[in-house]
Each structure stands twice: as structure tokens, then as C-alpha cells.
Amino acid sequence: MNINEAFKLAGAVLCSLGGSAVIISATAKWCGDFLAKKLFANIEHKHEKEIEQYKTRLQDMSTKFNAMVEHSMEVASKQYDMEVVIYQNIWKALHDLTMCQNYIYHFENPTQADPNNYLMALNSYSIDFKKKLEDFQTQIDSAAPFYQIEVYELLCKIEKEYIDLIHIIEASIGLSGMTDENEAKVNSEILPEINDLKEELTKTIREYLFSRKEFPNLS
């Protein structure tokens, strides 16, 4: 084989190898694209399944949350209605007790009429006053766990003032009526304190009940 034939053979081999390389390269590229698309499809499918699972879980959570909100609103509404009834009952008892303060005039101003009738009247006023105080105390204590502690504490302070007032009234059942010292204590200390406590009580109850009707601030 001469030199020319050798070059021709080498050229043929190189050409043959060069064509195969092109085919192999093209095949590899196709396989790579195919595998990449397959991989991306699998990933996308997996993510879609996860997203659907998340959507289902979120829907379940939303349903449960809405049920909890509705239940809470129902409980809050019943609690509000119950508290309104409690405050109405307490306030009626307090009103009846306050009206008994009109009896004080008769203890402070002894009558010159029939002594027996006067003493009977004072005794009757005292009994009625004490009965109204007991009714007030019952309303306070029987529902104590179901309303505001601040309101309960104010009511207890009012109760204490009326207890002091009752003691003075019971000590004033006599023809001479109430002593000047007790009269001064009633008009300068006890009654003004009761009025101040009632004003504070009114404000506290109103603000609380109004706040229960307001929509909560979620910001």
C-alpha cells in the first residue's frame, strides 16, 4: 500500500467516525430532552397532587373555623342575653331598695300623732326595708358567677352602705326617732356614697353591654 492509499483509508475512517459522532450526539440530545420533559412532568404532577391536598386541607380547616366562629357567636349571644336578664333583675331589686329610702323621712321627723301608730309605722318601714335588702342580696349572690366581677364588687359596696343604713333605722325605732348624729351620717355619708356607687355601676354596666355588641377589632 502506497502513501496515497493510506491517506484515502484514513480519510474514510475519519469520515465514518465523524458521521457516527453526529448521530450519537443527536441521539443523546433527544434522550436528554425526553428525560427532562418526563422529569418535569413527574414533578409538575407531584406538585399538583400536593397543591390539591393543601386545598383540601385548607377547605377542611376553613369549614371547621367557620363552625367554631358560628358556635362562639351563638355562645356569646346567649351569654349576652343571660347577662342582660341578670342585670335587669338586680337593677329592679336595687330600685325597690332605693324606693325604701323614702321611709327615712319618718325616722328623721317624729310625729306628734298617736305614738302607737307611729311606732307601728316605723317598725313596718324597717321590716319592709330589710326585706328589700334581702331580695337585693339574693339577686347579687345567686348570679354572681355569671356577670362581671367589677359589677359584683360595686354591688357589694352598695350592699354594705344599705346594711349600715338598716342598722341606723332599726336603732331609730322609737318615739324620738333618729338621733342627730345618725341623721348627719345618713345624709352626709351613706346616701351620697350610695348615689355615687349607683352612677359608677350604671356607667360600668352600660359600657360593658355596649362593648359586647361591637364587632371585634381584628387589625
Side-chain angles (χ1 to χ4, degrees):
M1 177 183 297
N2 57 33
I3 189 66
N4 290 329
E5 291 175 344
F7 277 125
K8 288 180 181 180
L9 180 60
V13 172
L14 289 174
C15 287
S16 176
L17 290 175
S20 298
V22 171
I23 293 173
I24 292 172
S25 176
T27 301
K29 183 177 184 304
W30 180 84
C31 289
D33 291 343
F34 176 78
L35 292 175
K37 290 179 180 178
K38 190 71 173 177
L39 179 61
F40 287 142
N42 289 338
I43 293 174
E44 184 177 5
H45 179 66
K46 180 181 178 182
H47 285 175
E48 286 178 351
K49 288 180 63 177
E50 291 179 350
I51 290 173
E52 287 301 321
Q53 290 175 352
Y54 288 141
K55 285 182 178 179
T56 302
R57 289 172 59 187
L58 287 173
Q59 183 63 39
D60 291 342
M61 291 173 62
S62 177
T63 301
K64 292 179 180 178
F65 177 76
N66 289 336
M68 290 174 60
V69 170
E70 290 179 3
H71 177 70
S72 298
M73 292 178 65
E74 181 180 357
V75 171
S77 178
K78 290 181 179 179
Q79 174 70 16
Y80 178 86
D81 294 340
M82 180 184 69
E83 288 179 330
V84 169
V85 172
I86 289 173
Y87 289 139
Q88 287 176 334
N89 291 336
I90 290 176
W91 201 262
K92 181 181 183 305
L94 178 57
H95 172 74
D96 293 342
L97 182 59
T98 301
M99 294 303 295
C100 289
Q101 292 175 198
N102 295 328
Y103 297 151
I104 296 174
Y105 170 83
H106 301 286
F107 289 89
E108 294 177 340
N109 298 276
T111 180
Q112 301 299 319
D114 188 321
N116 291 329
N117 289 339
Y118 176 65
L119 291 176
M120 288 176 59
L122 293 186
N123 189 61
S124 175
Y125 297 151
S126 175
I127 292 173
D128 189 43
F129 210 145
K130 192 171 183 178
K131 175 65 169 56
K132 294 298 193 301
L133 176 59
E134 290 173 351
D135 292 341
F136 177 62
Q137 292 170 322
T138 299
Q139 290 295 335
I140 292 175
D141 295 332
S142 63
F146 306 106
Y147 61 92
Q148 281 183 293
I149 184 64
E150 293 84 358
V151 172
Y152 178 75
E153 290 173 351
L154 285 173
L155 290 169
C156 288
K157 290 180 180 179
I158 292 175
E159 175 189 11
K160 179 180 178 302
E161 295 299 325
Y162 274 113
I163 290 174
D164 291 344
L165 181 57
I166 287 290
H167 288 162
I168 291 176
I169 285 177
E170 289 179 334
S172 303
I173 300 177
L175 294 179
S176 59
M178 190 177 295
T179 65
D180 292 341
E181 181 182 357
N182 282 338
E183 183 176 346
K185 183 177 181 179
V186 167
N187 293 310
S188 300
E189 298 178 21
I190 296 178
L191 294 183
E193 180 66 14
I194 289 175
N195 290 333
D196 290 343
L197 288 170
K198 285 180 65 177
E199 288 181 5
E200 186 177 355
L201 179 65
T202 302
K203 180 181 177 182
T204 301
I205 293 176
R206 282 178 176 171
E207 288 180 350
Y208 172 72
L209 292 179
F210 286 150
S211 69
R212 292 293 303 275
K213 281 296 186 180
E214 292 178 355
F215 194 80
N217 185 5
L218 303 179
S219 59

